[in-house]
Amino acid sequence: MWRTYVICVLVGLLLVSTGSNIWMTRLLISQQSDSDKLRARLTAAETQQNRLQQQLDQLQTSGAVPRPTPSTAPGVPVPTLGTAGGVDRAVLQQIEDDVAGLRGLAPLRDVQLRFLDQSSLQRFFVDRFNQDYLPSERESDQKLLATLGMIDPNESVVQTLLDVLQEQVIGVYNQDDKVMYLVADHATFGPDEKDTFAHEFTHALQDQYYDLTRLAPKHPANDDRALAISALAEGDAVLIQRLWAQDKLSQTELSQLGQGGSGSKLFSAPLFLREQLLFPYSDGFNFVRQIYQTQGGYPALDEVFKNPPESTEQILHPEKYRAHEKPIDVSLADLSLTLGPGWRKINSNVLGELDLRLILQQLTDRTRAVRGASGWGGDRWQLLEKDGKQAFVLKSVWDSENEAKTFFETMGLGLKNRFFGAKEEEASASRQALTATNSATELRRDGVNVLLVISFDRPTAEAVVAALGP
């Protein structure tokens, strides 16, 4: 999934700051209250800076936790000061020292800085994108979102992500080569540049202490877990970024942050992609803030990095992380082997609570989506193809029969909305079956288990159900 290639886009705080194996993820920041308010949601992300600032103000005025002093790290080379790429290295060194002090992690080694002009930095991101976003992942993402109805068939996931990726970039820490890349042709190293450097240097410290590549591999077997790890890393960096900015920037500089971000192409991206690209910075920040404020500051957060969240459910509901509520592993055999000649499996992975909430949101509304997805226990999806036509299968398990029923009813409504006018083959407490001109659905509930099939005709939908067995 494109979440293996992270784009760090935080509207109002970062113009575009791209993190290491530059995740093209599936994200979510906030929900619309009604399906007819989709366009109004385009402006909602622009309030994110104020919302995060208010939360941070509440955190600081609560007298939460004293900031730790970083431990010493003998043998750390001190970079030579001077001017590089038009930037005073003394300024960068001071930010590094500030961030290390705030985070309580002394650098284990010097972080190499490399300065590129704007166009070269953008080419760097595109090259990384083309290298890391595999053709099989591109095919899977495109066909999956189209089958789910999250994008129009003529919309390109790859082009949408490239459009966002090629916008103005300030800087990035690349965990592959352990280098911090900074733009060198800005007229001044202003508030946005300093703020972004603080954010990205936090990633460098995370990588040195916790190995980000190990925590979040490029091509994960569990997309939902990988997204939760991204939320932890980005939430940590956002908190440090804001703490640093409040301490070190003037009120005038604070008011200038992110002034170039409101016109981002992110706001014209399909809801599913747009919302997912923002999830680590909003919900990730909220998760980290709660750990910091209620569990003992950054020493407690260090323990979270050692025992990271395993699902977006734990990010959305920090109390479930604290209660060690682990996701249920759902198995789903390769159905192409059972369905017969001509079938192939395109991909299989985990959606998780976040994605299911977002799917329900797009098909119904925000209130129903939150309620319908909140009882998630685990899932596994599979995307199949025959003769160029796709069939989607989702097996999910829920925390209780009542929550399985809520998801069943909410998804049933969403399918009716999406396939408006479809023939209703059955509508009972345990099965909903719809047949439209070029599609057919099966939605079945058995206790805490819910099965969803979206296919291209009625016989195929029923054949997929039969292939799953009793």
Side-chain angles (χ1 to χ4, degrees):
M1 185 52 85
W2 62 90
R3 40 166 80 156
T4 60
Y5 198 79
V6 177
I7 289 186
C8 302
V9 182
L10 181 55
V11 177
L13 294 179
L14 302 180
L15 298 184
V16 179
S17 149
T18 329
S20 81
N21 41 332
I22 314 175
W23 261 45
M24 302 325 294
T25 78
R26 316 155 351 169
L27 304 174
L28 182 79
I29 175 176
S30 53
Q31 292 77 18
Q32 62 198 59
S33 61
D34 211 0
S35 58
D36 62 353
K37 296 181 180 178
L38 174 58
R39 290 190 177 276
R41 288 288 298 111
L42 297 178
T43 60
E46 297 180 20
T47 68
Q48 187 68 6
Q49 178 180 1
N50 292 333
R51 288 168 47 201
L52 295 181
Q53 191 63 60
Q54 290 169 359
Q55 290 173 321
L56 187 56
D57 291 342
Q58 292 170 2
L59 183 152
Q60 291 188 318
T61 58
S62 69
V65 183
R67 295 166 185 162
T69 300
S71 58
T72 59
V76 177
V78 178
T80 302
L81 301 184
T83 301
V87 182
D88 186 348
R89 284 297 303 267
V91 172
L92 300 180
Q93 182 64 59
Q94 185 60 57
I95 295 174
E96 291 183 8
D97 293 343
D98 294 340
V99 168
L102 288 168
R103 186 58 181 83
L105 298 175
L108 300 178
R109 53 190 170 274
D110 189 23
V111 178
Q112 182 181 353
L113 301 182
R114 187 167 299 168
F115 294 87
L116 301 173
D117 60 37
Q118 188 75 65
S119 60
S120 296
L121 192 54
Q122 289 172 326
R123 285 197 302 273
F124 169 80
F125 292 138
V126 173
D127 289 343
R128 298 294 304 175
F129 177 91
N130 289 327
Q131 176 181 327
D132 292 342
Y133 195 20
L134 303 178
S136 59
E137 294 170 333
R138 301 181 187 209
E139 177 195 18
S140 174
D141 294 344
Q142 181 70 33
K143 291 179 177 179
L144 176 66
L145 293 192
T147 301
L148 291 173
M150 297 298 99
I151 61 172
D152 292 333
N154 61 344
E155 288 180 307
S156 168
V157 171
V158 170
Q159 189 58 55
T160 297
L161 297 175
L162 280 172
D163 286 345
V164 175
L165 181 65
Q166 295 182 85
E167 293 187 310
Q168 186 180 31
V169 177
I170 292 175
V172 56
Y173 171 71
N174 181 8
Q175 68 200 43
D176 288 345
D177 58 12
K178 315 301 181 186
V179 173
M180 183 90 74
Y181 293 87
L182 296 173
V183 67
D185 55 357
H186 279 196
T188 60
F189 198 72
D192 275 319
E193 288 78 7
K194 295 175 183 177
D195 201 41
T196 297
F197 187 79
H199 181 107
E200 296 302 330
F201 187 70
T202 304
H203 287 317
L205 294 177
Q206 294 168 347
D207 194 29
Q208 290 183 8
Y209 278 82
Y210 304 115
D211 190 352
L212 294 178
T213 300
R214 178 186 60 82
L215 283 177
K218 290 185 180 182
H219 312 291
N222 187 324
D223 283 341
D224 185 59
R225 181 184 184 279
L227 183 52
I229 299 298
S230 177
L232 170 63
E234 296 302 341
D236 179 17
V238 169
L239 178 57
I240 281 293
Q241 176 184 7
R242 301 313 295 148
L243 289 171
W244 177 86
Q246 278 206 331
D247 278 354
K248 303 302 179 181
L249 296 181
S250 68
Q251 286 301 312
T252 298
E253 289 175 316
L254 285 171
S255 69
Q256 294 170 354
L257 287 176
Q259 292 300 304
S262 61
S264 171
K265 292 182 180 179
L266 177 66
F267 298 128
S268 61
L271 180 147
F272 194 89
L273 292 172
R274 181 179 71 249
E275 300 293 295
Q276 285 205 354
L277 284 170
L278 292 168
F279 169 77
Y281 309 95
S282 54
D283 291 276
F285 171 77
N286 185 60
F287 174 84
V288 167
R289 179 179 59 87
Q290 290 195 39
I291 297 294
Y292 178 91
Q293 187 173 8
T294 65
Q295 300 298 307
Y298 268 113
L301 192 63
D302 289 335
E303 292 302 312
V304 177
F305 271 93
K306 296 173 185 176
N307 300 279
E310 298 185 50
S311 66
T312 56
E313 176 188 51
Q314 293 182 340
I315 298 296
L316 293 167
H317 310 280
E319 69 278 6
K320 294 190 176 185
Y321 172 79
R322 293 192 293 268
H324 307 290
E325 185 173 323
K326 296 180 179 294
I328 297 170
D329 186 19
V330 177
S331 61
L332 184 56
D334 185 347
L335 297 177
S336 67
L337 303 177
T338 306
L339 289 169
W343 282 96
R344 72 179 180 103
K345 183 182 78 173
I346 295 177
N347 200 4
S348 181
N349 213 295
V350 177
L351 286 177
E353 179 175 343
L354 175 68
D355 284 354
L356 286 172
R357 177 192 288 193
L358 188 52
I359 291 167
L360 294 176
Q361 175 187 331
Q362 188 156 330
L363 297 179
T364 60
D365 59 62
R366 190 256 180 183
T367 301
R368 288 187 174 93
V370 172
R371 185 173 63 247
S374 63
W376 179 87
D379 75 68
R380 170 67 61 173
W381 61 264
Q382 192 170 126
L383 186 64
L384 302 154
E385 183 175 78
K386 182 179 182 181
D387 299 328
K389 295 179 289 187
Q390 290 77 48
F392 170 80
V393 184
L394 174 70
K395 286 179 66 176
S396 61
V397 59
W398 298 81
D399 292 339
S400 69
E401 287 197 29
N402 185 59
E403 285 162 320
K405 180 182 177 183
T406 300
F407 172 72
F408 174 87
E409 292 174 347
T410 309
M411 180 57 76
L413 174 61
L415 293 172
K416 287 182 180 178
N417 289 340
R418 181 185 171 194
F419 301 106
F420 184 76
K423 178 183 177 182
E424 199 166 54
E425 307 287 352
E426 182 177 333
S428 67
S430 60
R431 182 187 179 221
Q432 176 188 281
L434 303 176
T435 303
T437 303
N438 297 309
S439 58
T441 69
E442 282 283 344
L443 185 63
R444 302 193 181 194
R445 183 178 70 87
D446 180 11
V448 297
N449 301 296
V450 179
L451 170 68
L452 169 63
V453 175
I454 302 174
S455 188
F456 46 84
D457 60 31
R458 169 59 41 202
T460 300
E462 295 179 357
V464 170
V465 173
L468 289 165

